[in-house]
Amino acid sequence: SNVISATLRQLCSELVGLRKNHPEAAKYLLALAILQSGLGTTLLTVSVSYMLEQLRVSALQNNILYFAILASGLGWGWLFQILARKLSFRQLLLLIVADWFAFISI
């Protein structure tokens, strides 16, 4: 438990440092992660080359990040399933475009 909490603290610290030291890179990575092919897919793809090599994230931190991505993906999948039942295709498309504009204007 102490190892996991220390690892999560370190991971959060690294991400905050990225935001402070390289704000445009952090903004670009966030938008890319969420908008290009989904948060989970992008982070899982980029994490090996970027997180391990550039940010010097440990393998344990990387595995915890994988777990968090997969766990949050379940919730987003459930939310999308509900929205897909209630909204038309056009409404879903407008919602996605509105999200896209919100993220690029940050």
Side-chain angles (χ1 to χ4, degrees):
S1 178
N2 287 338
V3 173
I4 293 174
S5 63
T7 302
L8 288 174
R9 259 193 317 277
Q10 179 67 27
L11 179 62
C12 289
S13 171
E14 298 280 338
L15 293 175
V16 167
L18 177 68
R19 174 86 168 104
K20 287 181 181 177
N21 298 327
H22 308 286
E24 288 301 311
K27 189 187 311 182
Y28 173 77
L29 287 174
L30 176 66
L32 181 69
I34 293 172
L35 302 173
Q36 185 178 19
S37 60
L39 178 62
T41 305
T42 302
L43 281 178
L44 292 175
T45 303
V46 171
S47 68
V48 173
S49 62
Y50 183 75
M51 303 274 291
L52 293 174
E53 295 296 323
Q54 300 297 322
L55 295 180
R56 305 282 189 241
V57 172
S58 72
L60 178 62
Q61 289 172 322
N62 208 26
N63 287 337
I64 291 172
L65 181 63
Y66 283 179
F67 176 75
I69 291 167
L70 294 173
S72 67
L74 292 173
W76 286 111
W78 177 73
L79 177 63
F80 183 78
Q81 180 182 14
I82 291 172
L83 290 174
R85 287 183 186 156
K86 296 184 183 244
L87 301 176
S88 68
F89 177 75
R90 183 177 183 190
Q91 290 171 323
L92 280 174
L93 183 61
L94 289 174
L95 182 65
I96 291 168
V97 169
D99 283 346
W100 183 72
F101 277 117
F103 278 107
I104 63 171
S105 65
I106 292 176

